[in-house]
């Protein structure tokens, strides 16, 4: 790369604030978060219950608007973007994995993974279908593509959710306690998978976790206490 290459972090938060409430009764739950994440980072977000982790993740995921400060996504200011543009940016730039997988019960694993691709173009190309199968293979579910979520274990369901999050090949994946609902062995497996995907594809991960054991395996740990970054 030339020395003139402009370096742009994937994410730049400056003094991000979030207030909830109305009618003059408001509570600020994020008190000025400043945070920069570089492309390819594998970062844990830890902190006590109620410290604002999910709120921060939802703001970074463009699901909620901050009430103050600024959020740059790949160098682009998101605060002034029209809703339609935010939706488009969210769709192609961010994958989500939640504690509860939010898979569609009536759809097979493959259909669940193909859904974000469908939403992108309105129909699927053969290459996109192949990618969905490949992703399910990558997460260890080659023999489960036609299973509905109800026929899968908790760990397997979460693997489908990970494959779905990666469907559009987003540069950033946000995971809110992705192992919170799993036993230790399944949680370890999921964590290892996320880490491998990060190494292989350079996808940036921000993972909320309660588990200090898992956080230790991240290259960076951001700690939130009472709506402030403390380390
Ligand atoms: N939609 C909401 N309306 C009002 N208060 C909220 C809302 N969402 C979260 N909060 C409050 O914000 C604080 C942080 O919550 P949250 O981000 O869920 O924390 P964490 O994920 O770290 O447990 C809590 O006090 C919570 O009650
Ligand atoms: Mg939470």
């Amino acid at each position: 790369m030339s020395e003139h290459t402009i370096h742009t972090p994937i994410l730049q938060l400056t003094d991000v604030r979030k207030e909830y409430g109305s009618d003059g009764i408001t509570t600020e739950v994020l008190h000025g978060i400043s945070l920069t994440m570089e492309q390819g980072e594998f970062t844990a977000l830890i902190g006590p219950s109620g410290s604002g982790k999910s709120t921060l993740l939802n703001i970074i995921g463009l699901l909620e608007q901050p009430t103050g400060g600024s959020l740059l996504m790949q160098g682009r200011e998101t605060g002034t973007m029209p809703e339609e543009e935010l939706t488009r940016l969210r769709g192609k730039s961010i994958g989500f994995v939640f504690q509860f997988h939010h898979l569609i019960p009536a759809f097979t694993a493959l259909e669940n993974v193909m859904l974000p691709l469908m939403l992108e173009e309105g129909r699927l190309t053969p290459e996109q279908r192949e990618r969905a199968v490949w992703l399910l293979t990558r997460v260890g579910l080659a023999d489960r593509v036609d299973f509905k979520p109800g026929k899968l274990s908790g760990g397997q369901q979460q693997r489908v959710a990970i494959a779905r999050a990666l469907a559009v090949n987003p540069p950033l994946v946000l995971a809110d306690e992705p192992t919170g609902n799993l036993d230790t062995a399944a949680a370890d497996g999921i964590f290892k998978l996320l880490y491998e995907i990060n190494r292989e594809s350079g996808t940036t991960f921000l993972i909320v976790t309660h588990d200090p054991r898992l956080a230790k395996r991240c290259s960076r740990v951001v700690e939130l206490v009472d709506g402030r970054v403390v380390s």
Side-chain angles (χ1 to χ4, degrees), residues 106-120:
F107 282 10
T108 65
L110 184 60
E111 288 165 346
N112 270 284
V113 175
M114 291 191 304
L115 193 61
L117 297 166
M118 293 282 294
L119 295 177
E120 215 181 24

Side-chain angles (χ1 to χ4, degrees), residues 18-21 27-30 47-58 64 176-177 208 210 224:
K18 181 67 180 180
E19 269 178 17
Y20 285 117
T27 319
E28 194 178 78
V29 300
L30 295 177
S49 183
S51 57
K53 304 182 296 298
S54 293
T55 303
L56 182 58
L57 216 67
N58 289 341
E64 280 186 59
D176 198 350
E177 312 215 24
V208 173
H210 257 110
L224 213 56

Side-chain angles (χ1 to χ4, degrees), residues 87-102:
T87 304
R88 206 174 329 120
L89 183 64
R90 184 168 58 228
K92 70 176 169 63
S93 305
I94 307 169
F96 295 93
V97 181
F98 300 97
Q99 177 173 0
F100 301 101
H101 52 75
H102 299 301

Side-chain angles (χ1 to χ4, degrees), residues 6 56 58 61 152 183:
I6 298 166
L56 182 58
N58 289 341
L152 300 172
D183 64 45

